[in-house]
Amino acid sequence: MYKIILNGITNKYEYDELIKIFLRPEEYLLFCDSDKDKENSTNEESNFYFHQLLEFNERESNALKRMLYEKLRDLTGVRPEWGIHTGVRPVKLVGELINKLGSMEQVIDKLKNFYLFDDEKISLICSTYQTQKEILNEPVPDAIGLYIGIPFCPTRCLYCSFTSNQSQPAKIQEYMDALHEEIRHTGRKMAQTGMYPESVYIGGGTPTTLTAEQLDKLLTEIKHAYDLSKTREFTVEAGRPDTITLEKLEVLKNHGISRISINPQTMKDSTLELIGRSHNSNDIIKAFDMARNVGISIINTDIIAGLPEETLQDFENTINTIIELGAENITVHTLAVKRASRLIDIDKEFHYKQALTVKNMLALSKDKLYKNNYKPYYLYRQKHMAGSLENVGYSKKGCEGIYNIRIMEEHQTIVALGAGGISKVYYPDENRLERVPNVSNFEIYISRLNEMLQRKDDNLFRR
Ligand code: SF4
């Protein structure tokens, strides 16, 4: 057990995030100035228990992180590839550094020597940044990202931390009625303020849990409520193959949707069963065939590196099959053991154990995808990820998802509807976002809809 003391620091949160990459929670206690009392009582009760005391007297945040990094690297042999960076958006950091330093050479130097990034990660984020710059300009102020959430799924996956619900048809219909009201309301407000959707993303949950009629009505409401004449992209996350039918795909196609997600996660049947999905790999292939036959031109897929009981060979089979199926977008996720998931109850240290396997899986996916003409175009990190690695979205040229890039860039207002939707108002002059959340429980959302609408009026549409 390590006892780590940060003198002159009152908020230890960001340092704790860094330490967690090296040490499991039961391997250390961390104290800063604001918890001196706790430190003293721990001294009295269990001093003998600590086998090493690490004390730091540096107040400059990044210098302190570098000291922690170097000390813990030497003690544990762990070498985090993202250096001292614990944030979610390393590609955004590249953009900020370019604005500040002026040249890519200086950015690379800073990432390497100040943030202590590994060379491979530097090359990954710089290439992702460059792809983003080629595709997108800065968003114009009235062009927003529109997110619409359908918080229902047929079953709950083992690693899910989202409030996905398995609900009765009557309840789902009640939710849809409330959602339509929010769509109409925000549509009126957006028209008054001149806002329009640059991209629309219907996500979840699993939107194709809805019936074909419900999908049709939802898309009709959207079409009537918003000016879609300048919308560049409209995505529906079909997600789970067991919810996809020909009828639903035809509804999507008839409404002009050209981009959907089909999320296999893995092509290994025993893993699909283990993680609680009610479909097999054959259903995924059938869903692809159906979507292509209907004329959907862009299919996004999500796969996960580090799923329980999967080997590098299993992961390779998955990625080979998805490439053969011709998915235009492939997002390679690293398994994260999140607080609200069932997986954390089974093994809260699973992500620590998977670190090396996942590192090899990510390297393999990068190699295969580059060789098959996919390029990384968005990237983000999450807490509790195996090996503290990353999620990377790869795309064939010209098929990149605008919504995915914008949400990571944080330079655009996002209007999010439905239970769990978190709108974000972008203030360009201050380069900051302000969150305007809806409640996440769908039943509370239905009963407090008027309050959600008022909250949007007060914070999103007050100009
Ligand atoms: S499909 Fe996604 S939202 Fe639904 S249960 Fe699985 S992980 Fe959660």
Side-chain angles (χ1 to χ4, degrees), residues 153 155-157 159-160 162 164 204-206 240 277:
C153 287
T155 56
R156 185 170 171 81
C157 304
Y159 47 79
C160 183
F162 176 73
S164 72
T206 305
R240 304 265 296 248
R277 311 269 290 196

Side-chain angles (χ1 to χ4, degrees), residues 147-155 157 162-166 172 176 202-211 215 236-244 248 261-263 265 277:
Y147 176 85
I148 297 173
I150 308 295
F152 305 105
C153 287
T155 56
C157 304
F162 176 73
T163 47
S164 72
N165 304 277
Q166 291 72 55
I172 296 180
M176 293 311 293
I202 303 182
T206 305
T208 39
T209 308
L210 302 177
T211 63
L215 275 173
V236 176
E237 200 178 340
R240 304 265 296 248
D242 43 330
T243 61
I244 300 174
K248 292 180 199 179
S261 298
I262 299 174
N263 294 331
Q265 317 302 14
R277 311 269 290 196

Side-chain angles (χ1 to χ4, degrees), residues 1 5 29 33 44 77 114 138 141 241 312 345 354 436:
M1 167 75 82
I5 300 175
L29 286 177
D33 286 2
E44 283 155 25
F114 183 87
E138 286 298 305
L312 188 61
D345 297 332
Q354 290 291 83
V436 185

Side-chain angles (χ1 to χ4, degrees), residues 237-257:
E237 200 178 340
R240 304 265 296 248
D242 43 330
T243 61
I244 300 174
T245 64
L246 188 60
E247 206 188 349
K248 292 180 199 179
L249 289 170
E250 275 167 352
V251 168
L252 301 184
K253 184 66 191 166
N254 291 340
H255 280 278
I257 312 296

Side-chain angles (χ1 to χ4, degrees), residues 175-194:
Y175 174 79
M176 293 311 293
D177 293 341
L179 182 64
H180 296 157
E181 206 173 320
E182 195 181 16
I183 289 170
R184 291 191 287 266
H185 184 87
T186 48
R188 282 192 296 274
K189 292 290 173 178
M190 280 173 56
Q192 283 162 14
T193 49

